[in-house]
């Protein structure tokens, strides 16, 4: 986008602007004299007063001062710390408006970046009850004016917002955070300081199996011992007998990565179990597992439906993680081959297949853009390909191999509409057509948009 480079904003001046869109992160977008400005906490259709707090060559960032004309979709956020907390971005919007926004984001991206005008995008499938939906939380722990803080980072900062209930976590997570906080106070546990690298407790992670009710509590520590840990175990179990696993995760590195590689089990076992559909999974502290298990089933069912399997197909599940989609597909395919770059995820995937007695699935470690061209050159082909890449989308080498391989269908699961649109453009220019697009709301109250796309080979 070309910007008028001469525009210089005055720091103290109040500017009026119309909000015309929202970014993926849920930030409002508008223009002042042709110059793009981003503002938190506003909605499309609103007219607002703002002050400019930052300016670069290509955009400016404003702070909301007043809403002159509110949107009809505006509601009061249910969380008292919504303005500060970096967790949710669109709590000031009705749930229906969020679903519409997510659908529209997908549609606009596919039209604008993908160059595909007559695409069918279905209404976003939302949650009946869009609260308490996360099965995992990772609270950073800090220290503020002599008090221990356990909460969430403020938007674009490492200040910790503590004190309120988080309504997208299950009740147990909130309560466990309180128990750990009071234990730390009583036991005099030193809190880790990012700046000096000193202190012990860094993060508290809680995971819950939604079907099994099993709970895991992980304390991430800068060391390998927690004094009086027996007291903590006792307190946690008194309140929550369903806790199956309490773990110390050792992370002594000065890094933003939350978990270290070493786990010490101080109560119960190293993992909890949960189900997606009829499949059972063992989840260890380091395992990736979808965080909204209810909508994951909706998403995978859609992917399975789009795969249109009869039982005779060879299917590739690329970017397969711990093999969840592969197991889903295995019910209706002859053979499924999952490919994933993280070796630990592949070990989990193999274990999960075994746990569920599934024998028609194989897993390979490596980059999809290397493994698939290699296999194709050896004559291995798929009838149907499912891809579920990270935010950056698929590598073009992979897409070009798929184009040569000519599967009947490609099912594309995406967490980023803009890279999805880029990849759909490539595939539609090379012999595939987009049949249908289904957005699924995996992260209510945030700007994240997930969708699944059915593409099929154009018959010549
Ligand atoms: N399909 C899985 C995971 C999707 S997340 C599920 O539904 O749970 C995307 C996955 O792609 C991650 O596990 C990441 O490790 C993996 N990944 C990233 N780049 C990759 C690449 N080039 N080749 C294969 N896998 C990759």
């Amino acid at each position: 986008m070309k910007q008028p480079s001469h525009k210089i904003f005055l720091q103290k001046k109040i500017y009026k602007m119309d909000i015309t869109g929202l970014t993926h992160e849920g930030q409002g977008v508008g223009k002042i004299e042709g110059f793009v400005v981003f503002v938190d906490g506003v909605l499309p259709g609103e007219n607002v007063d703002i002050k400019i707090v930052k300016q670069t060559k290509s955009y400016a960032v404003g702070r909301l001062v007043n809403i002159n004309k509110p949107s009809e979709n505006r509601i009061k956020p249910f969380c008292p710390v919504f303005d500060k907390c970096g967790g949710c971005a669109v709590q000031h919007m009705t749930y229906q408006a969020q679903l519409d926004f997510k659908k529209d984001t997908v549609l606009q991206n596919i039209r604008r970046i993908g160059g595909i005008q007559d695409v069918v995008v279905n209404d976003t499938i939302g949650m009946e009850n869009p609260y308490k939906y996360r099965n995992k939380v990772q609270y950073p722990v800090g220290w503020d004016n002599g008090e221990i803080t356990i909460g969430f980072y403020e938007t674009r900062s490492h200040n910790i917002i503590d004190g309120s209930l988080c309504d997208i976590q299950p009740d147990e997570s909130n309560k466990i955070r309180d128990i750990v906080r009071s234990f730390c106070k009583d036991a005099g546990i030193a809190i880790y300081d990012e700046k000096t690298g000193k202190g012990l407790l860094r993060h508290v992670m809680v995971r819950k199996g939604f079907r099994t009710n099993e709970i895991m509590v992980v304390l991430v520590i800068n060391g390998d011992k927690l004094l009086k840990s027996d007291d903590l175990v006792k307190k946690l179990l008194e309140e929550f007998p369903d806790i199956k696993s309490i773990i110390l995760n050792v992370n002594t590195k000065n890094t933003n990565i939350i978990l270290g590689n070493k786990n010490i089990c101080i109560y119960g076992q190293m993992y909890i179990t949960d189900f997606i559909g009829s499949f059972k999974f063992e989840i260890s502290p380091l395992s990736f597992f979808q965080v909204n298990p209810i909508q994951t089933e909706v998403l995978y069912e859609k992917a399975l439906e789009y795969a249109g399997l009869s039982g005779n197909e060879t299917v590739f599940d690329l970017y397969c993680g711990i093999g969840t989609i592969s197991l889903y597909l295995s019910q209706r395919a002859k053979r499924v081959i999952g490919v994933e770059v993280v070796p630990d995820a592949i070990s989990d995937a193999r274990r999960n297949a075994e746990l569920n007695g599934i024998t028609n699935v194989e897993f390979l470690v490596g980059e999809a853009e290397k493994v698939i061209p290699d296999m194709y050159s050896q004559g291995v082909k798929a009838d149907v390909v499912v891809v579920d890449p990270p935010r950056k989308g698929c590598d073009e080498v992979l897409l070009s191999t798929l184009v040569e391989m000519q599967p009947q269908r490609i099912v594309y699961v995406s967490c980023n509409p803009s890279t999805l649109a880029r990849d759909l453009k490539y595939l539609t220019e090379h012999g595939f057509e987009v049949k249908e697009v289904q957005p699924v709301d995996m992260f209510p109250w945030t700007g994240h948009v997930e969708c699944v796309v059915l593409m099929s080979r154009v018959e010549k």
Side-chain angles (χ1 to χ4, degrees), residues 10-140:
L10 302 171
Q11 291 274 317
K12 293 205 173 125
K13 186 173 164 176
I14 290 186
Y15 292 90
K16 278 197 186 321
M17 72 185 265
D18 288 322
I19 305 301
T20 51
L22 283 182
T23 65
H24 295 337
E25 286 83 33
Q27 261 195 323
V29 195
K31 281 185 182 173
I32 297 176
E33 292 166 36
F35 200 90
V36 172
V37 182
F38 297 104
V39 189
D40 281 330
V42 297
L43 293 175
E46 295 190 320
N47 179 276
V48 295
D49 286 344
I50 60 153
K51 276 187 175 174
I52 297 294
V53 290
K54 180 181 164 190
Q55 181 172 7
T56 71
K57 268 191 195 148
S58 53
Y59 68 91
V61 178
R63 183 172 56 78
L64 179 64
V65 175
N66 188 46
I67 303 165
N68 304 317
K69 186 186 134 225
S71 157
E72 58 194 19
N73 296 322
R74 179 173 279 276
I75 51 170
K76 188 170 175 291
F78 55 81
C79 176
V81 296
F82 168 66
D83 286 348
K84 291 200 198 113
C85 179
C88 295
V90 291
Q91 263 192 31
H92 54 318
M93 196 176 195
T94 62
Y95 189 49
Q96 184 55 50
Q98 291 170 45
L99 300 178
D100 295 344
F101 155 66
K102 291 179 184 189
K103 170 183 173 172
D104 194 55
T105 303
V106 175
L107 183 68
Q108 296 311 333
N109 274 280
I110 296 179
R111 285 198 176 140
R112 195 165 40 81
I113 302 172
I116 309 162
Q117 300 307 322
D118 56 347
V119 60
V120 180
V121 178
N122 298 334
D123 288 346
T124 309
I125 304 177
M127 296 190 77
E128 227 163 83
N129 179 13
Y131 303 95
K132 306 184 192 297
Y133 64 80
R134 286 188 63 105
N135 61 11
K136 175 174 118 173
V137 63
Q138 301 182 120
Y139 298 112

Side-chain angles (χ1 to χ4, degrees), residues 288 290 300 319-321 324-325 340-342 366-369 388 390:
F288 172 86
Q290 291 275 359
Y300 289 180
Y319 312 87
C320 70
T324 30
I325 297 181
E340 159 65 45
V341 75
V342 176
E367 290 173 323
E369 59 273 25
D388 183 8

Side-chain angles (χ1 to χ4, degrees), residues 209 212-214 269 271-275 280-283 355:
T212 57
N213 275 329
E214 295 181 4
Q269 58 201 35
Y271 60 89
I272 54 169
T273 50
D274 201 18
F275 288 84
K280 189 174 178 181
F281 295 91
E282 285 182 0
I283 309 158
L355 198 66

Side-chain angles (χ1 to χ4, degrees), residues 300-314:
Y300 289 180
E301 284 295 338
K302 205 72 205 170
L304 182 62
E305 176 195 321
Y306 283 173
L309 302 173
S310 67
N312 296 319
E313 296 85 356
T314 297

Side-chain angles (χ1 to χ4, degrees), residues 24 102 105-107 109-111 113-116 119 121 387-394 399 410-428 434 436-439 449-455:
H24 295 337
K102 291 179 184 189
T105 303
V106 175
L107 183 68
N109 274 280
I110 296 179
R111 285 198 176 140
I113 302 172
I116 309 162
V119 60
V121 178
V387 297
D388 183 8
R391 291 193 67 78
K392 68 176 198 274
C394 296
L399 296 179
I410 297 177
V411 179
Y412 195 133
V413 182
S414 162
C415 59
N416 182 350
S418 58
T419 55
L420 167 73
R422 178 202 67 202
D423 293 348
L424 295 187
K425 180 176 166 66
Y426 183 91
L427 290 166
T428 49
V434 177
E436 204 179 305
V437 182
Q438 179 63 64
V449 183
E450 186 99 13
C451 61
V452 47
V453 180
L454 170 60
M455 304 195 77

